[in-house]
Amino acid sequence: MKKTIKIISISLIALFVIGSLNMTAAAIDGREIMEKVDERDTGDSRHALMGMDLIDADGDVRPRVLEVWSQKVDFEQDLDHTIMVFHEPSSIKNTRFLQKENDGEDDDQWIYLPDLGRVRRISGGQGGDSFMGSDFTYDDMKSREIDNFEYELLREEEFNGYQTYVVEAIPKNPAEEQYAKTISWVTREHYIPVKLEMYDKDSEELYKLMTVNSEIKKIDGIWTVFSATMENLDSGHSTRLYIQQRDGNYLLEYNKEIDDGRFTQQYLETGR
C-alpha cells in the first residue's frame, strides 16, 4: 500500500477527518508515529459543508463557505479524489477545485474560475501560490510520500491538554519540497496532528503554524477534528477552517456513496 503523509490536506478536509489507532506500549520512533498517522481511519468517502475565514493582521474577517466531497478511488494505493465548490461570497460563488492523487508522482490539481469561464490546471511552478487567498498553498494540499522524509522523535509533551509525540520531518530532497522542515505534535491517543510548524526554505525560520482549536470527537465512529487555524507568522494573516453546523449538528458525513461523475473535468467546468 502507498504510504503517504497528508499533512494538511485530504485536501482541506483532511484537517477534520483524522481517525485513530490504539496506542501501543512499545517503544516507537518518528517514522512509526507518522505511519500511524497515515493509517488512521478516515472512511471510504467524506462530505462536509465548511467555513473558511480569512483573517488579516488587524483581526478583520472575510468569511467563505465551501462544500467538499472526497472519495477513495484506489484502496491498494490509498488514493483519493477530492472536489471543492465555493458557495459564498457571491464574488467567488461556483469556483471549483479538483484534486486527484497519484501513486509515486505529484497529485493533479485543476481550478475552475467563473470569471474566466474555463478550467485551469495548476502547474508545479504554482505549488507555492495561495489557494483562494488563504494561508494554504496548493502544495500544502497535496499528499506526500512517507519515504521522501527523514523523521526524528524529538520529545513527548503536553499540548492543549493532549499528550503528544513531537516529530520532526526533514525532506530527503529539499529542492522538491516547500519547507525546510516540519514539526508535528501528534496525539498519543488518536495519532492526530494537533499542531504543525512549517519552517521557511530559505531562512529556515518558523514561517507558518497550524493548530487544531476544537475538541476531538467521534462522528460515525471516526475521530474528528472540527476546526483548525493556519497562521502566516510573517504577515500576521491567518485562515480558520471549520465544519459548519445546523441546529447544533455538524454538516459532515462519512461513507456515503458519491457519484464518480462529481470528480470529473465536466463537473469541474459545469457543476453538473
Side-chain angles (χ1 to χ4, degrees):
M1 178 179 288
K2 177 187 179 187
K3 288 291 185 182
T4 61
I5 291 292
K6 297 172 186 176
I7 294 178
I8 301 175
S9 63
I10 212 177
S11 294
L12 294 178
I13 201 174
L15 265 56
F16 311 104
V17 233
I18 338 185
S20 70
L21 295 175
N22 292 327
M23 182 182 68
T24 61
I28 191 168
D29 64 24
R31 180 183 169 108
E32 289 172 323
I33 292 165
M34 300 314 288
E35 286 180 347
K36 289 181 181 293
V37 171
D38 171 61
E39 291 164 359
R40 64 194 183 266
D41 176 20
T42 60
D44 295 344
S45 69
R46 299 145 297 269
H47 173 221
L49 186 68
M50 298 173 60
M52 174 192 282
D53 291 345
L54 307 183
I55 309 167
D56 68 21
D58 295 325
D60 294 329
V61 179
R62 290 185 292 150
R64 296 179 168 185
V65 176
L66 64 152
E67 196 166 3
V68 185
W69 294 263
S70 184
Q71 182 162 267
K72 198 166 295 298
V73 295
D74 188 324
F75 288 85
E76 180 65 26
Q77 300 300 329
D78 189 26
L79 301 177
D80 292 325
H81 288 174
T82 300
I83 189 148
M84 306 176 192
V85 179
F86 283 82
H87 297 312
E88 298 177 16
S90 58
S91 59
I92 60 169
K93 185 176 181 179
N94 291 327
T95 298
R96 293 181 282 271
F97 173 79
L98 174 64
Q99 175 167 297
K100 295 186 175 184
E101 293 182 358
N102 295 311
D103 181 28
E105 56 187 60
D106 266 358
D107 301 338
D108 292 318
Q109 297 176 324
W110 301 266
I111 192 165
Y112 171 77
L113 301 171
D115 287 348
L116 298 179
R118 63 180 178 85
V119 172
R120 178 166 61 85
R121 186 184 183 94
I122 306 302
S123 68
Q126 297 171 300
D129 292 352
S130 165
F131 173 71
M132 296 297 293
S134 75
D135 295 281
F136 296 89
T137 66
Y138 290 102
D139 273 353
D140 284 336
M141 298 160 62
K142 292 181 178 179
S143 58
R144 295 288 191 273
E145 297 282 349
I146 283 183
D147 289 341
N148 290 350
F149 298 83
E150 297 284 356
Y151 303 95
E152 181 181 356
L153 174 58
L154 301 180
R155 59 189 179 276
E156 298 179 26
E157 67 181 27
E158 183 177 327
F159 176 75
N160 277 357
Y162 294 104
Q163 295 300 318
T164 67
Y165 299 109
V166 183
V167 180
E168 180 182 72
I170 297 178
K172 295 178 181 178
N173 188 345
E176 295 181 355
E177 296 298 331
Q178 184 177 189
Y179 305 112
K181 66 178 180 180
T182 60
I183 300 178
S184 303
W185 279 251
V186 178
T187 63
R188 289 171 57 94
E189 180 181 1
H190 321 90
Y191 289 100
I192 291 177
V194 289
K195 178 181 177 182
L196 179 64
E197 293 182 343
M198 287 142 277
Y199 287 77
D200 183 77
K201 199 169 183 176
D202 296 321
S203 69
E204 298 190 355
E205 297 292 325
L206 180 58
Y207 173 45
K208 293 200 295 189
L209 174 66
M210 190 192 79
T211 53
V212 166
N213 37 42
S214 72
E215 292 186 65
I216 300 171
K217 297 181 180 179
K218 279 187 176 180
I219 287 187
D220 297 334
I222 295 176
W223 288 110
T224 303
V225 173
F226 303 98
S227 177
T229 298
M230 175 75 89
E231 181 181 3
N232 183 314
L233 301 180
D234 284 350
S235 67
H237 192 278
S238 62
T239 302
R240 181 170 57 241
L241 285 165
Y242 52 95
I243 305 296
Q244 296 273 16
Q245 293 189 58
R246 181 179 297 142
D247 299 327
N249 296 315
Y250 287 102
L251 300 178
L252 167 66
E253 56 185 3
Y254 296 99
N255 297 322
K256 303 293 184 181
E257 186 173 349
I258 303 174
D259 187 344
D260 291 341
R262 193 175 293 274
F263 305 102
T264 63
Q265 295 269 351
Q266 177 179 326
Y267 184 88
L268 186 63
E269 187 165 6
T270 67
R272 299 189 298 272

